[in-house]
Amino acid sequence: MPNVVKKGLALDQAQKAVILIHGRGATADSILSLSSYLNLTDYAILAPQANGNSWYPFGFMKSDSGNFVALESSLKQIQSLFDEVLREGVAPENVFFVGFSQGACLSLEFAARNAQKLGGIVAFTGGLVGEKLKAGNYSGDFQGTPIFIGSSDRDFHVPAIRIQESADLLRQMGADVTVKLFEDPDHTIREEEIEWVNQHIFV
């Protein structure tokens, strides 16, 4: 698995795996540090690295055509990693995705394009990608997969209205979605989000 940083159990020894996806300008190592705050004792922990530290060049609600080539390449990179996890014997319902900012958007986008029963998806400040949401881009049934989306109620990069629209679409696809919007302007991961995720998803 090129460009993947690993922590925790080896894949062939783990029954559960989590894929951590970093934000724009960040690294696999930086998002991997988040794992220390999550209940991931018995997990294989995998963090892919984006080319040039970015999964796609423009904002997630900007030009579909401008983002298309890089986004498709990034989705294929995540698909390859997901396939590798399954080949090593981890069941899809025991695979989790965690992302921050651009990584949160990519996590949600990948999951919605391949909806199935997963362990859970944690999107710290993110929404589905596109100038406008197109239900035709997505297929499958989440079968109750828990999805958490947390963010500022006025994040500069991720508008609350897109978060809510994304949550509605994901619910229509069978996901159990929890959205928590915080009354601060910070583009960050909050302690309250970590606590909620540890109590409801990584249990």
Side-chain angles (χ1 to χ4, degrees):
M1 286 181 288
N3 301 319
V4 177
V5 181
K6 304 174 185 177
K7 189 178 176 183
L9 297 181
L11 261 181
D12 59 1
Q13 298 174 348
Q15 293 187 332
K16 296 181 285 188
V18 59
I19 296 173
L20 302 176
I21 305 181
H22 68 76
R24 184 191 302 274
T27 64
D29 284 318
S30 68
I31 193 72
L32 203 63
S33 66
L34 176 64
S35 65
S36 300
Y37 301 92
L38 300 171
N39 293 335
L40 302 177
T41 305
D42 300 324
Y43 287 72
I45 304 168
L46 310 164
Q49 174 63 51
N51 292 328
N53 297 351
S54 179
W55 297 107
Y56 43 86
F58 304 108
F60 83 117
M61 295 174 62
K62 300 295 184 183
S63 165
D64 287 344
S65 58
N67 277 331
F68 181 81
V69 173
L71 177 61
E72 291 299 313
S73 176
S74 294
L75 289 167
K76 287 178 181 176
Q77 186 176 344
I78 303 304
Q79 181 71 59
S80 177
L81 181 52
F82 181 67
D83 290 345
E84 176 69 16
V85 170
L86 299 188
R87 279 197 300 271
E88 290 291 341
V90 180
E93 60 265 28
N94 288 326
V95 180
F96 298 72
F97 289 86
V98 177
F100 172 63
S101 193
Q102 193 182 61
C105 297
L106 189 64
S107 297
L108 292 171
E109 187 70 14
F110 174 79
R113 293 191 186 199
N114 303 276
Q116 57 194 288
K117 178 64 174 176
L118 298 168
I121 302 156
V122 178
F124 294 119
T125 310
L128 293 169
V129 180
E131 293 177 70
K132 293 183 178 179
L133 293 190
K134 300 174 183 175
N137 287 348
Y138 309 112
S139 62
D141 182 351
F142 278 114
Q143 301 175 58
T145 296
I147 298 179
F148 172 83
I149 308 175
S151 180
S152 162
D153 61 2
R154 51 188 182 278
D155 187 86
F156 180 76
H157 301 285
V158 182
I161 189 169
R162 172 54 66 91
I163 290 175
Q164 298 290 7
E165 290 171 348
S166 300
D168 289 343
L169 193 153
L170 294 165
R171 289 187 184 107
Q172 291 168 19
M173 297 178 68
D176 179 9
V177 185
T178 297
V179 174
K180 289 191 176 294
L181 299 178
F182 296 84
E183 297 179 355
D184 63 58
D186 301 327
H187 189 72
T188 188
I189 300 173
R190 296 159 190 82
E191 186 177 338
E192 298 96 322
E193 296 174 85
I194 295 288
E195 289 177 357
W196 193 95
V197 167
N198 279 334
Q199 290 170 5
H200 297 88
I201 294 182
F202 297 115
V203 292

